[in-house]
Each structure stands twice: as structure tokens, then as C-alpha cells.
């Protein structure tokens, strides 16, 4: 059976490994934020934390942990039997802005195991007509202390990610999609269908020797 379509977006259950074909980048955040990470091919990423609360960071212990990938990978407790009142989100909006020179290719939320291609397929060429360099970024781990948010200094903050160029064709291909009319003519016992998300992302399967799928 093919992998579940949103597997790559789910929280990993094991330590995150560098995928095949990716180049790992590990850096200490000693120059404060924003922090620039060179990816190659004329592309770099900038780690930013847009909060707008300067006084909060001035009054915070410099060694206090602001955010860490360990929080993403830690087991979550079982949900309470009775629902609790909604609370404000406590996660800081740490992001990677991927750029080619001064051109922004995309913004990647810093979440453990997240993979994202920048830019997406719908990004147009620039005014000179040149197409952007496509890269895929994987967030592997990070540790951010309050002192790094305030300015430069070695407070033990770090960032680990991996990247690769994403402008090459794949060498693996799936089965052809199912024709709408063929789908409707198959017996109900041989059809499996599911819809995901508000946009009704639809997956259809045929239960035969050659399991086939169509994505809509």
C-alpha cells in the first residue's frame, strides 16, 4: 500500500535522520538573530523570530530556553477526559526565510522533521525572466536561548537543517491515475475513497492486484 499522503508532515516518532541526497548544515547561533545560513547554489536561509516584545527579552535570563526541537519530539500526554478552556498559543513563531540573493523563495516554519520546497511550483520568474533556484529544506533540530534573541554571544543556541536542490526530475514514478468513468463502474467493494481538509483533497484506491491511486 502506498504511504499515507501526509506522512511527511506528521511528527516523527524516532530521531530525525538526514534524508538521502541532502546536505546537512549545523551552526551555532553566536551572532544573534536574524542568523544567516548559507545553503549553496546562491541560496541562503535567514532564521528570524518576529515577536516585537523587546522588553520581555531584556528582562529574561539569557540562558532560558525559548524553544527547542526536543519539545516537538517529546511524547505528548493523553488528552484530558473533560475539555479544557482554550489557551493562548505558547510556541514562538521561529521561521526560516529562504532567499536567492534579495529574492524571497519561501518561508519555512521551524518544526522538527518539516520538509518544504522553496519556491513552490506556482512562483513566477522575476522581472528579468530568470527562474528561481528550487531547494528543499528539512528542519532537523534547534535550540534557542533568550540571550541569542537579545544579541550576539555564545549561549549554546544552535540550528541543524539539511537541504538539496529540487530542480531535478525524479527517477521513480507511480501508477497512472484512475479514470473517473472507470472508477464509477467498479463494484463498491473494490473502491476506497477518502477526503482530507477543507479543500476536499481526494484519494481514491482500487482494491485489486495492482493497487492504484488518483490524487485530486
Amino acid at each position: 500500500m502506498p504511504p499515507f499522503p501526509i506522512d511527511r508532515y506528521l511528527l516523527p516518532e524516532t530521531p530525525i535522520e538526514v534524508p538521502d541526497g541532502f546536505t546537512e548544515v549545523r551552526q551555532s547561533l553566536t551572532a544573534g538573530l536574524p542568523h544567516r545560513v548559507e545553503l549553496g547554489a546562491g541560496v541562503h536561509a535567514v532564521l528570524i523570530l518576529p515577536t516585537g516584545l523587546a522588553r520581555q527579552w531584556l528582562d529574561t535570563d539569557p540562558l532560558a530556553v525559548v524553544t527547542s526541537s526536543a519539545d516537538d519530539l517529546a511524547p505528548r500526554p493523553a488528552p484530558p477526559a473533560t475539555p479544557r478552556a482554550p489557551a493562548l498559543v505558547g510556541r514562538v513563531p521561529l521561521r526560516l526565510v529562504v532567499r536567492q540573493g534579495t529574492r524571497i523563495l519561501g518561508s519555512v516554519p521551524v518544526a522538527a522533521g518539516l520538509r518544504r520546497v522553496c519556491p513552490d511550483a506556482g512562483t513566477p520568474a522575476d522581472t528579468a525572466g530568470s527562474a528561481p533556484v528550487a531547494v528543499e529544506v528539512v528542519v532537523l533540530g534547534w535550540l534557542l536561548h533568550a540571550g541569542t534573541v537579545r544579541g550576539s554571544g555564545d549561549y549554546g543556541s544552535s540550528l541543524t537543517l539539511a537541504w538539496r536542490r529540487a530542480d531535478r526530475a525524479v527517477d521513480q514514478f507511480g501508477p497512472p491515475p484512475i479514470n473517473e468513468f472507470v472508477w464509477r463502474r467498479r463494484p463498491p467493494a473494490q473502491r476506497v475513497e477518502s477526503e482530507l481538509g477543507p479543500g476536499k483533497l481526494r484519494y481514491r484506491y482500487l482494491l485489486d492486484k495492482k493497487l492504484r491511486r488518483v490524487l485530486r
Side-chain angles (χ1 to χ4, degrees):
M1 183 174 181
F4 197 62
I6 63 171
D7 269 349
R8 63 185 302 179
Y9 301 108
L10 299 178
L11 187 67
E13 297 181 355
T14 58
I16 307 169
E17 299 180 353
V18 180
D20 294 338
F22 282 74
T23 300
E24 184 178 2
V25 179
R26 295 172 178 262
Q27 290 194 353
S28 298
L29 309 179
T30 57
L33 297 182
H35 178 82
R36 176 169 171 151
V37 182
E38 296 294 339
L39 300 181
V43 178
H44 65 274
V46 180
L47 183 67
I48 62 173
L49 179 60
T51 64
L53 303 174
R55 183 173 297 278
Q56 170 186 337
W57 303 115
L58 293 175
D59 297 338
T60 304
D61 182 358
L63 297 181
V65 176
V66 177
T67 177
S68 170
S69 54
D71 296 334
D72 278 7
L73 301 175
R76 295 294 188 266
T82 57
R84 294 177 294 185
L88 295 176
V89 176
R91 187 186 182 103
V92 296
L94 194 63
R95 306 187 72 85
L96 280 168
V97 178
V98 182
R99 305 196 304 180
Q100 180 183 1
T102 58
R103 180 180 187 179
I104 296 178
L105 302 180
S107 179
V108 182
V110 176
L114 178 65
R115 293 177 60 166
R116 180 155 297 180
V117 176
C118 298
D120 57 29
T123 301
D126 59 16
T127 55
S130 61
V133 176
V135 297
E136 185 174 10
V137 178
V138 183
V139 180
L140 301 176
W142 71 93
L143 175 61
L144 181 64
H145 291 91
T148 304
V149 180
R150 289 165 49 176
S152 60
D154 189 358
Y155 300 100
S157 301
S158 62
L159 172 68
T160 306
L161 53 85
W163 75 280
R164 70 172 178 180
R165 292 194 64 158
D167 55 357
R168 301 174 183 174
V170 298
D171 57 0
Q172 297 180 355
F173 303 91
I178 306 167
N179 185 278
E180 177 74 19
F181 298 99
V182 174
W183 168 261
R184 293 178 180 176
R185 294 176 60 182
R186 297 301 292 268
Q190 297 182 8
R191 303 196 308 245
V192 178
E193 183 175 19
S194 61
E195 294 181 347
L196 302 175
K200 298 299 182 182
L201 194 62
R202 181 173 296 174
Y203 296 86
R204 289 175 172 171
Y205 299 86
L206 291 181
L207 301 180
D208 55 14
K209 293 183 180 180
K210 295 182 179 179
L211 187 64
R212 297 193 290 179
R213 174 182 74 179
V214 64
L215 168 62
R216 296 194 158 199

